[in-house]
Amino acid sequence: MTHTRVISTWTELTRDLAIYLLFTFFAIKVFKFLFSCNRTSEISSFSMATHPEALRRERILNSKLYFDVPLSKVSIIYSSSYDISFMGIEKLHPFDSSKWGRVCKFLVSDGFLEEKAIVEPLEASKIDLLVVHSENYLNSLKSSATVARITEVAPVAFFPNFLVQQKVLYPFRKQVGGTILAAKLATERGWAINIGGGFHHCTAERGDLDAHQGNGHETDLGDDNRVYILDMYNPEIYPFDYRARRFIDQKVEVMSGTTTDEYLRKLDEALEVASRNFQPELVIYNAGTDILDGDPLGLLKISPDGITSRDEKVFRFAREKNIPLVMLTSGGYMKSSARVIADSIENLSRQGLIQTRPE
């Protein structure tokens, strides 16, 4: 009250001074507030930098890859962007980089699938990829020479990187987006198939698009006791990653020349052991077709019907236990692989293990 009475009798100069002081007071308050906000932001950034798991979780939660899929779509994921066509140089690698599209064409032409019912995934962004890969590795892909080494197609090194990004890496980023979405769909609907994906030699720090032993995910997930790895592989061929083999929870080694009956017998035994040792919340099934008789790299002798039986056994294992299952088509080095994959998916539909028509 005393101050109020004094102010009312001051001269104009005194009032101006009071206004100046009042303004200064508020300016200081605003400065302190802004400094506090900036400090909080710095602390938050520091916290994220020093707690990579928190940053990883934030990236996962903010990802746009997990979008809702309407019931008018089935749990089969594919994009025409999966298929790689790059001035014909894709033919320099034994992998059939157009098999994904031909699988879908077979399913549609055979009347098992409608094009409008297929789910189109989003491309995995850099932020999405940083959940697994390091910044250094992703930056290394800005070199066409690095991509040439990873894809094992030497001429790629001579193309401008923007073209390599568009024609080579974009299709793979789309397939990664498809696998992530497939996992979401599987948890919601019980199963999902990504007509692509399964790059099981890639690690956080290295890329590799070949087939066989899944040394990539074994290296990255070997110390994670939440993950159970059952690997059925030929130990006599690439990648000869003996260190990664130590991380396999259940090894099923199938030597060169293994026949269909022996392969399926070993699979039955393996699934029985797995069911006793681990109760998963999600099964990720890397369903490569490089086990086919005649495959130049797999060196096994499994018939097309053997592939169909294999896939049916894995789906029955998961569906009977109500475990969500994601199927990825992975490796396979013969043109016949596309027809074999389509036939197997059609069999799964006939057996009632999947539904290829919207409800």
Side-chain angles (χ1 to χ4, degrees), residues 21-34:
L21 291 173
L22 191 61
F23 174 80
T24 303
F25 171 77
F26 278 112
I28 291 171
K29 286 290 187 182
V30 169
F31 174 78
K32 285 184 175 180
F33 173 75
L34 292 174

Side-chain angles (χ1 to χ4, degrees), residues 123-137:
E123 173 194 7
S125 68
K126 181 178 179 180
I127 297 299
D128 293 319
L129 295 174
L130 283 170
V131 171
V132 174
H133 295 290
S134 69
E135 183 98 33
N136 287 339
Y137 171 68

Side-chain angles (χ1 to χ4, degrees), residues 249-319:
D249 296 288
Q250 189 177 341
K251 288 183 195 172
V252 184
E253 296 185 338
V254 283
M255 304 301 179
S256 299
T258 296
T259 59
T260 300
D261 290 343
E262 182 183 359
Y263 183 92
L264 294 177
R265 178 183 59 79
K266 286 193 170 188
L267 175 60
D268 285 333
E269 293 172 354
L271 292 176
E272 180 61 31
V273 171
S275 67
R276 294 197 302 266
N277 291 345
F278 196 67
Q279 300 301 317
E281 296 178 4
L282 176 69
V283 170
I284 299 177
Y285 172 37
N286 216 41
T289 49
D290 47 8
I291 65 172
L292 274 170
D293 187 7
D295 187 281
L297 300 183
L299 304 184
L300 303 179
K301 294 187 176 297
I302 313 305
S303 68
D305 287 343
I307 295 279
T308 297
S309 296
R310 178 200 65 176
D311 294 349
E312 182 178 333
K313 286 176 182 292
V314 174
F315 266 81
R316 285 197 185 280
F317 168 81
R319 302 292 278 156

Side-chain angles (χ1 to χ4, degrees), residues 30-88:
V30 169
F31 174 78
K32 285 184 175 180
F33 173 75
L34 292 174
F35 177 80
S36 174
C37 290
N38 185 56
R39 181 64 177 162
T40 301
S41 176
E42 288 178 358
I43 291 172
S44 176
S45 298
F46 176 78
S47 176
M48 286 297 184
T50 55
H51 295 85
E53 192 58 35
L55 179 57
R56 181 172 177 270
R57 179 174 175 78
E58 182 186 41
R59 285 169 173 159
I60 292 172
L61 293 175
N62 291 331
S63 176
K64 294 180 172 58
L65 299 177
Y66 306 99
F67 60 87
D68 291 330
V69 176
L71 293 177
S72 59
K73 304 280 189 179
V74 297
S75 300
I76 293 181
I77 300 168
Y78 165 75
S79 168
S80 59
S81 300
Y82 284 12
D83 300 291
I84 298 175
S85 178
F86 190 17
M87 302 182 183

Side-chain angles (χ1 to χ4, degrees), residues 166-179:
Q166 178 186 358
K167 295 294 187 179
V168 180
L169 297 180
Y170 174 70
F172 292 121
R173 291 193 293 263
K174 284 283 278 190
Q175 292 189 46
V176 170
T179 296

Side-chain angles (χ1 to χ4, degrees), residues 85-90 92 141-148 151 153-169:
S85 178
F86 190 17
M87 302 182 183
I89 65 173
E90 71 278 0
L92 297 177
L141 300 180
K142 295 176 183 177
S143 162
S144 296
T146 299
V147 179
T151 58
V153 180
V156 169
F158 300 101
F159 286 88
N161 190 256
F162 79 89
L163 199 58
V164 173
Q165 293 286 333
Q166 178 186 358
K167 295 294 187 179
V168 180
L169 297 180

Side-chain angles (χ1 to χ4, degrees), residues 84-104:
I84 298 175
S85 178
F86 190 17
M87 302 182 183
I89 65 173
E90 71 278 0
K91 296 176 183 177
L92 297 177
H93 194 280
F95 186 81
D96 179 8
S97 62
S98 66
K99 76 173 184 180
W100 304 295
R102 289 188 292 112
V103 170
C104 283

